[in-house]
């Protein structure tokens, strides 16, 4: 077994050579106009945008900061700009059923023209019709009808009066009819004188009175019929005169909109309504001076009745509309019918219908945040209903969830043709896909944004273009090429691997903006490497309060850790802690005690229920490794107690499983482990060391403790060999490695690692399965055999005593 050599400084971080850039500053770099690092997602979005089949709405998933929203808007607007502008949509009054407003579609821009035309029509109606009712011809015609009525009425009354007088009765007319008074000798007789008449005379008068009364009732009926006839003639006169003034105005607009039958039908309905309610346009004084009091002015104004509610106005729209709804509540999506309160009475009408985002995006695209839609009551179900039915019905949300029904408008549904782009994270996508059966039918196009891209020359140059775009957009100082190279290196560190660059561009933008601030404070015209370094250091300083507190506890001896000497059954493990977005490494002491028993590997954390499932699995793997390697010819008779010292809040992950195994092997072999070497890495049952996460932070965390206690030139960290490409260490650690003050050892197997930690060969098994004397494996095997032999002796001794 060859002992692993420490890594050279050149392998500890990706280094971007500034000479790959052919510019001095980003001032001469063309701004980036394409999406970088998201080729798969871009193709998925383009496919969804160009697919016209139903159900191919788009769900864009990815972590925050990967540019999903920015790209979605840009890509959608690019496609929408080449498409036709959709129709305008209006709501007009349903004159037959006012509670069910009518939806009208007109070409883009014509909706506004139609609204103006209807306002003009109403104004003309309200000016032209009163004029004709004030004309001499109208007054003459009306007077003629009234005169005819009065003459005919007078004739009827006069004939009746003459008849009554011939019967000895004097009729007295009142507003309720007439009263007949008896006459004697040509004079009316009062009640007292009437009683003085003899009975025969009174009987004759009463008989005549009855005949006159019957005749009078007939006259009253004839007068009423005459009055009704005249009233109808006056009404027809008003309609004729009104339509004479209004008809040609309506016909002109019907001719203008002859290609749009629903509009023509609405204008015809207006014409009929004007004829029915002509009094709305007559002068107010006309009603007051009408001797017949034929009409009563309706409460509703014609301007409200015949107005147009322009719901969607696309006259300024270029191409298909692209709507980004930042607050997708139920009403903001599907629209609403508003209410107003007057004198304690709540009312609404078609003019108070307000559009939603789906109305505005009809014929185009609607971009929504998935989480916002899902957290607003009724919004998600309403969105699905519209996408499934292709119709948008404005409904009151309170009616759906309320107990009592209330009177409300029922506007005519509007046909909807919209492509929805939902933006969320992968977790929301998986939840919807697995638990909402409608989702997979409606959102068939899925674009998943990656958080990393390949670290290659092409993407490095594109990242320089992205920096130039950000500088231009945010009005920052330009970056020199050395500073750009440092930003590329920072991008690589964010990914946790030297072969990738981050696509979480918001974090890159943060660095650019902060570096610009330090350049401004430094009175520099351009951002340099020093400003990048300063921005990184200051950002870390703002977040590393808890890391410094831990360092203080190590310095004061409150947290026990050794960075010098050698000890049996004790090893330094490495963990990663995070506070918000800031991650840092924390070394921990791991100890193992081994003794005779049958319990196997006892994980104290698991016994105290502070161990996570991954950590528990890692510990159980250790038993498999020990049994496979050392218990082929005799039972594994062992109890090994493992624990993380001074750890009280739980542990998870299997990155310390190899560390724990080294502690057990040290305890069994009696060979001390070098305390100045910390270990990280998981292990499988075959003894192969497996990669872990957070290698960079773990190394830097142990380096900080060694620096605190004093660098001796022996200290270092042992990592899985697969993690070498994940390293992105700080300048300070790299310089210490370059000077030989710190070392990083990549290992592939447990045998290779135990040799580094003990300085003793691990030992390869011979033909008979035994290990060379003095090797680690031989000492461990010998100790386990002693445990087994001792247990057999104790078992026989116990049997002898029982016998």
């Amino acid at each position: 077994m060859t002992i692993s050599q420490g890594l050279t400084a050149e392998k500890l971080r990706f280094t971007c050579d500034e000479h790959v850039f052919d510019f001095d500053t980003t001032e001469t770099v063309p701004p980036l106009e394409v999406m970088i690092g998201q080729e798969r997602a871009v193709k998925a979005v383009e496919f969804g945008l160009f697919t016209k089949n139903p159900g191919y709405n788009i769900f864009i998933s990815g972590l925050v900061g990967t540019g999903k929203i920015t790209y979605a808007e840009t890509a959608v607007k690019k496609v929408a700009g080449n498409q036709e502008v959709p129709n305008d949509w209006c709501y007009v009054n349903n004159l037959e059923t006012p509670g069910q407003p009518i939806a009208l579609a007109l070409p883009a821009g014509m909706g506004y023209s139609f609204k103006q035309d209807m306002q003009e029509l109403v104004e003309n109606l309200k000016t032209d019709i009163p004029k004709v009712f004030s004309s001499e011809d109208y007054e003459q015609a009306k007077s003629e009808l009234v005169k005819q009525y009065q003459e005919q009425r007078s004739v009827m009354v006069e004939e009746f009066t003459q008849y009554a007088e011939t019967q000895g009765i004097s009729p007295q007319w009142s507003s309720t009819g007439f009263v007949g008074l008896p006459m004697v000798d040509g004079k009316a007789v009062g009640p007292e004188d009437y009683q003085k008449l003899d009975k025969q005379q009174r009987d004759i008068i009463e008989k005549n009175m009855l005949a006159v009364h019957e005749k009078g009732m007939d006259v009253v009926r004839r007068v009423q019929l005459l009055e009704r006839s005249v009233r109808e003639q006056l009404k027809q006169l008003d309609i004729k005169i009104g339509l004479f003034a209004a008809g040609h105005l309506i016909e002109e607009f019907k001719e203008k909109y002859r290609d749009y039958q629903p509009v023509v039908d609405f204008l015809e309905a207006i014409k009929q309504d004007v004829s029915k309610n002509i009094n709305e346009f007559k002068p107010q004084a006309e009603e007051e001076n009408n001797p017949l009091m034929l009409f009563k002015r309706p409460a509703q104004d014609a301007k409200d009745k015949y107005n147009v509610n322009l719901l969607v106005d696309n006259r300024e729209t270029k191409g298909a509309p692209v709507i980004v709804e930042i607050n997708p509540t139920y009403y903001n999506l599907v629209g609403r019918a508003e209410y107003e309160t007057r004198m304690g009475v709540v009312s609404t009408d078609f003019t108070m219908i307000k559009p939603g985002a789906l109305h505005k995006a009809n014929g185009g695209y609607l971009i929504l945040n998935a989480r916002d839609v899902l957290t607003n009551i009724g919004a998600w179900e309403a969105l699905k209903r519209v996408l499934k039915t292709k119709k948008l019905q404005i409904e009151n949300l309170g009616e759906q969830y309320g107990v009592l029904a209330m009177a409300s408008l029922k506007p005519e549904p509007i046909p909807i043709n919209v492509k929805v782009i939902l933006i969320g994270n992968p977790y929301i996508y998986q939840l919807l896909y697995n638990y909402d059966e409608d989702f997979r039918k409606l959102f068939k196009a899925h674009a998943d944004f990656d958080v990393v891209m390949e670290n290659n020359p092409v993407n490095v140059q594109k990242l320089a273009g992205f920096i130039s775009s950000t500088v231009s957009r945010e009005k920052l100082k330009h970056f020199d090429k050395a500073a750009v190279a440092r930003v590329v290196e920072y991008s690589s560190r964010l990914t946790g691997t030297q072969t990738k660059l981050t696509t979480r561009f918001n974090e890159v933008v943060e660095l650019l903006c902060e570096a610009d601030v330090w350049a401004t404070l430094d009175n520099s015209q351009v951002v340099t490497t020093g400003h990048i370094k300063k921005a990184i250091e200051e950002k870390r300083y703002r977040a590393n309060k808890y890391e410094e507190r831990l360092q203080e506890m190590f310095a004061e001896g409150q947290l026990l850790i050794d960075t010098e000497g050698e000890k049996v059954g004790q090893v330094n493990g490495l963990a990663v802690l995070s506070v918000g977005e800031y991650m840092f490494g924390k070394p921990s002491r791991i100890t193992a005690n081994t003794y005779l028993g049958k319990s196997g590997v006892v994980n104290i954390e698991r016994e105290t229920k502070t161990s996570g499932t991954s950590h528990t699995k890692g510990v159980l793997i250790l038993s498999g490794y020990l049994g496979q390697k050392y218990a082929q010819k005799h039972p594994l008779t062992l109890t090994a107690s493992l624990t993380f010292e001074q750890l009280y809040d739980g542990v998870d992950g299997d990155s310390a499983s190899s560390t724990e195994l080294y502690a057990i092997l040290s305890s069994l072999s009696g060979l001390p482990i070098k305390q100045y070497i910390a270990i990280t890495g998981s292990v499988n049952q075959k003894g192969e060391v497996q990669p872990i996460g957070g290698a960079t932070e773990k190394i830097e965390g142990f380096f900080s403790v060694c620096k605190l206690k004093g660098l001796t030139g022996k200290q270092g960290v042992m990592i899985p060999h697969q993690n070498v490409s994940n390293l992105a260490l700080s300048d300070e650690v790299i310089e210490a490695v370059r000077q030989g003050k710190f070392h990083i050892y990549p290992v592939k197997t447990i045998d290779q690692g135990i040799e580094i930690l003990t300085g003793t060969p691990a030992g390869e098994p011979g033909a008979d399965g035994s290990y060379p004397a003095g090797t680690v494996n031989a000492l461990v095997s010998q100790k386990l055999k002693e445990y087994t032999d001792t247990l057999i002796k104790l078992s026989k001794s116990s049997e002898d005593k029982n016998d």
Side-chain angles (χ1 to χ4, degrees):
M1 180 69 66
T2 301
I3 297 179
S4 174
Q5 299 298 317
L7 295 174
T8 60
E10 290 70 27
K11 294 184 178 182
L12 303 183
R13 182 179 65 194
F14 163 71
T15 302
C16 180
D17 185 1
E18 62 188 68
H19 295 98
V20 301
F21 303 117
D22 59 357
F23 57 85
D24 293 327
T25 69
T26 52
E27 186 175 6
T28 60
V29 178
L32 183 70
E33 297 181 353
V34 297
M35 192 72 180
I36 60 174
Q38 304 291 358
E39 289 77 12
R40 182 182 289 104
V42 167
K43 288 184 178 180
V45 172
E46 291 176 348
F47 172 77
L49 291 177
F50 286 103
T51 301
K52 302 303 181 183
N53 296 329
Y56 280 88
N57 297 289
I58 305 170
F59 191 102
I60 300 178
S61 63
L63 299 183
V64 175
T66 51
K68 303 185 299 299
I69 297 178
T70 302
Y71 169 73
E73 291 187 42
T74 303
V76 172
K77 287 179 179 178
K78 182 178 179 180
V79 174
N82 299 323
Q83 297 180 353
E84 295 182 359
V85 181
N87 289 336
D88 292 340
W89 282 95
C90 311
Y91 270 115
V92 296
N93 192 11
N94 187 336
L95 298 172
E96 296 295 330
T97 311
Q100 300 176 6
I102 301 171
L104 299 179
L106 291 169
M110 192 173 286
Y112 179 79
S113 175
F114 180 52
K115 179 181 177 69
Q116 297 298 110
D117 287 344
M118 293 309 300
Q119 291 178 345
E120 179 184 348
L121 174 62
V122 170
E123 293 303 321
N124 289 336
L125 292 177
K126 297 182 73 172
T127 56
D128 292 357
I129 293 178
K131 286 181 182 179
V132 298
F133 280 112
S134 300
S135 66
E136 293 182 0
D137 292 341
Y138 171 73
E139 291 296 335
Q140 183 177 355
K142 187 180 70 172
S143 298
E144 183 67 26
L145 288 175
V146 173
K147 181 180 178 181
Q148 292 178 5
Y149 162 74
Q150 291 175 341
E151 289 178 351
Q152 294 178 13
R153 183 177 182 279
S154 297
V155 170
M156 294 180 186
V157 171
E158 182 62 27
E159 290 178 352
F160 172 73
T161 300
Q162 292 178 2
Y163 169 76
E165 289 178 349
T166 60
Q167 299 297 319
I169 303 298
S170 175
Q172 304 294 320
W173 292 95
S174 67
S175 59
T176 58
F178 74 93
V179 176
L181 296 178
M183 298 180 62
V184 177
D185 299 330
K187 295 182 180 179
V189 178
E192 295 180 357
D193 294 335
Y194 178 76
Q195 295 297 327
K196 294 179 181 179
L197 298 176
D198 57 37
K199 184 177 183 304
Q200 182 180 4
Q201 195 173 7
R202 289 200 307 271
D203 291 342
I204 294 174
I205 292 175
E206 289 178 359
K207 181 180 179 182
N208 293 337
M209 182 75 73
L210 181 60
V212 169
H213 183 269
E214 291 178 354
K215 183 72 172 179
M217 293 303 296
D218 180 63
V219 170
V220 169
R221 283 192 295 271
R222 289 167 57 198
V223 169
Q224 289 176 344
L225 290 174
L226 177 62
E227 182 178 333
R228 189 177 300 114
S229 174
V230 172
R231 186 182 290 115
E232 182 62 27
Q233 292 180 46
L234 285 172
K235 182 177 179 180
Q236 293 301 321
L237 175 64
D238 285 349
I239 292 174
K240 179 180 179 181
I241 295 297
L243 290 180
F244 174 77
H248 73 281
L249 298 174
I250 297 175
E251 292 301 324
E252 288 178 5
F253 286 122
K254 288 174 67 175
E255 178 63 23
K256 179 178 180 179
Y257 296 98
R258 65 180 182 275
D259 296 332
Y260 308 101
Q261 189 59 41
V263 177
V264 174
D265 294 342
F266 175 63
L267 291 169
E268 180 62 28
I270 291 178
K271 183 177 180 180
Q272 298 300 323
D273 191 73
V274 169
S275 66
K276 293 178 182 177
N277 302 286
I278 194 67
N279 192 56
E280 293 183 9
F281 302 93
K282 295 175 65 176
Q284 183 69 30
E286 179 68 21
E287 290 183 6
E288 299 172 355
N289 297 330
N290 187 352
L292 300 179
M293 294 299 290
L294 299 178
F295 307 108
K296 183 178 181 181
R297 179 176 294 275
Q300 188 176 14
D301 191 346
K303 186 175 182 181
D304 294 331
K305 291 176 64 177
Y306 307 146
N307 201 354
V308 174
N309 181 357
L310 183 54
L311 198 71
V312 179
D313 183 6
N314 286 317
R315 59 197 164 109
E316 302 294 336
T317 304
K318 307 298 182 183
V322 179
I323 304 299
V324 181
E325 180 54 62
I326 60 175
N327 183 27
T329 63
Y330 174 83
Y331 291 115
N332 286 350
L333 280 180
V334 303
R336 73 187 74 196
E338 295 182 342
Y339 294 82
E340 64 178 359
T341 303
R342 293 180 181 176
M343 304 298 291
V345 178
V346 178
S347 63
T348 185
D349 58 49
F350 75 100
T351 63
M352 301 177 72
I353 299 174
K354 304 300 179 184
L358 285 165
H359 291 105
K360 299 174 184 176
N362 195 10
Y365 304 86
L366 177 60
I367 301 176
L368 301 170
N369 183 287
R371 182 179 180 275
D372 293 339
V373 175
L374 293 171
T375 54
N376 279 292
I377 296 176
W380 175 241
E381 294 300 326
L383 178 63
K384 291 194 299 179
R385 184 162 55 248
V386 170
L387 294 178
K388 287 189 292 185
T389 63
K390 299 293 184 180
K391 292 183 179 180
L392 178 52
Q393 174 74 59
I394 297 178
E395 296 177 313
N396 191 329
L397 186 62
E399 293 183 8
Q400 300 181 27
Y401 294 95
V403 177
L404 298 177
M406 59 182 294
S408 179
L409 294 177
K410 296 294 183 183
E412 181 182 359
I414 290 178
I416 289 292
N417 178 25
V418 64
K419 188 174 287 290
V420 176
I421 296 91
L422 273 184
I423 300 175
N425 58 52
Y427 181 69
I428 291 178
Y429 175 81
Q430 293 298 331
L431 283 177
L432 291 174
Y433 188 86
N434 291 320
Y435 295 103
D436 191 327
E437 61 182 13
D438 295 325
F439 176 77
R440 64 184 69 184
K441 298 177 183 178
L442 298 174
F443 291 87
K444 297 179 181 179
H446 178 212
D448 192 8
F449 274 57
D450 203 349
V451 295
V452 296
M453 61 183 174
E454 292 297 326
N455 185 354
N456 55 41
V458 174
N459 285 338
V460 168
Q461 295 294 336
K462 288 183 178 179
L463 190 55
F466 172 78
I467 295 173
S468 177
S469 301
T470 305
V471 168
S472 176
R473 183 178 64 254
E474 303 294 338
K475 310 299 183 201
L476 307 178
K477 297 180 184 296
H478 285 286
F479 288 61
D480 65 23
K481 61 181 179 181
V484 172
R486 301 294 81 77
V487 173
V488 174
E489 293 173 0
Y490 178 76
S491 174
S492 176
R493 177 184 170 101
L494 291 176
T495 66
T497 175
Q498 298 176 11
T499 61
K500 303 290 183 181
L501 297 175
T502 187
T503 57
R504 300 184 70 174
F505 296 113
N506 66 320
E507 298 189 32
V508 177
V509 171
E510 288 178 9
L511 177 64
L512 300 180
C513 294
E514 292 177 17
D516 174 78
V517 172
W518 294 113
T520 302
L521 295 176
D522 196 29
N523 295 320
S524 176
Q525 296 300 316
V526 296
V527 179
T528 65
T529 301
H531 302 134
I532 298 293
K533 183 177 180 181
K534 179 70 172 176
I536 295 173
E537 290 176 349
E538 289 295 326
K539 183 176 182 179
R540 177 177 180 178
Y541 176 74
R542 293 194 299 269
N544 72 345
K545 178 179 70 174
Y546 295 103
E547 182 183 20
E548 287 191 354
R549 294 291 184 271
L550 282 174
Q551 296 296 326
E552 291 175 4
M553 296 175 72
F554 282 124
E556 295 170 0
Q558 297 180 25
L559 289 178
L560 303 179
I561 199 79
D562 291 329
T563 59
E564 295 183 35
E566 300 178 359
K567 290 188 177 180
V568 175
Q570 179 176 302
V571 67
N572 292 327
L574 297 172
V576 174
L577 303 181
S578 62
V579 180
E581 63 177 356
Y582 182 68
M583 298 174 59
F584 59 93
K586 173 184 176 294
S588 298
R589 175 180 289 178
I590 299 174
T591 59
N593 289 329
T594 56
Y595 45 91
L596 181 63
K598 298 181 180 179
S599 301
V601 179
V602 178
N603 176 13
I604 293 179
E605 274 71 33
R606 183 179 66 178
E607 298 302 319
T608 57
K609 293 182 173 53
T610 58
S611 172
T613 55
S614 296
H615 178 251
T616 299
K617 177 183 177 181
V619 173
L620 293 174
I621 286 175
L622 303 186
S623 297
Y625 171 80
L626 293 173
Q628 183 270 339
K629 195 172 185 71
Y630 304 111
Q632 295 297 318
K633 295 183 178 181
H634 55 78
L636 183 63
T637 307
L638 169 71
T639 296
S641 175
L642 277 174
T643 188
F644 278 73
E645 304 290 355
Q646 294 185 288
L647 184 65
Y648 309 106
D649 54 354
V651 61
D652 200 4
D654 64 347
S655 63
S657 58
S658 68
T659 312
E660 294 166 327
L661 182 53
Y662 292 133
I664 293 175
L665 295 178
S666 171
S667 178
L668 288 171
S669 66
L671 297 173
I673 286 179
K674 300 171 182 177
Q675 299 300 295
Y676 44 83
I677 297 178
I679 306 102
T680 184
S682 68
V683 65
N684 61 28
Q685 292 190 109
K686 301 300 183 181
E688 298 171 325
V689 177
Q690 301 173 142
I692 42 81
T696 295
E697 289 78 10
K698 292 175 179 179
I699 293 172
E700 291 177 346
F702 187 65
F703 175 81
S704 297
V705 175
C706 292
K707 178 184 174 184
L708 187 68
K709 292 179 174 286
L711 294 173
T712 64
K714 295 181 179 180
Q715 292 128 336
V717 175
M718 196 164 65
I719 65 172
H721 72 99
Q722 301 97 325
N723 286 119
V724 173
S725 62
N726 303 132
L727 298 180
L729 295 171
S730 64
D731 293 338
E732 187 178 21
V733 177
I734 292 175
E735 185 60 29
V737 171
R738 182 175 287 112
Q739 296 178 7
K741 295 181 179 179
F742 198 75
H743 309 275
I744 299 173
Y745 304 99
V747 296
K748 295 182 179 181
T749 65
I750 291 297
D751 284 352
Q752 190 177 4
I754 199 64
E755 288 184 1
I756 295 173
L757 293 173
T758 63
T760 302
E764 296 291 338
D768 59 353
S770 61
Y771 296 97
T775 61
V776 176
N777 289 329
L779 295 173
V780 171
S781 182
Q782 181 180 349
K783 175 61 70 173
L784 292 174
K785 189 175 184 307
E786 290 177 1
Y787 286 162
T788 302
D789 293 342
T790 302
L791 184 62
I792 292 173
K793 291 179 181 179
L794 291 173
S795 177
K796 289 182 178 180
S797 175
S798 177
E799 290 177 359
D800 291 341
K801 289 182 179 180
N802 289 335
D803 290 342

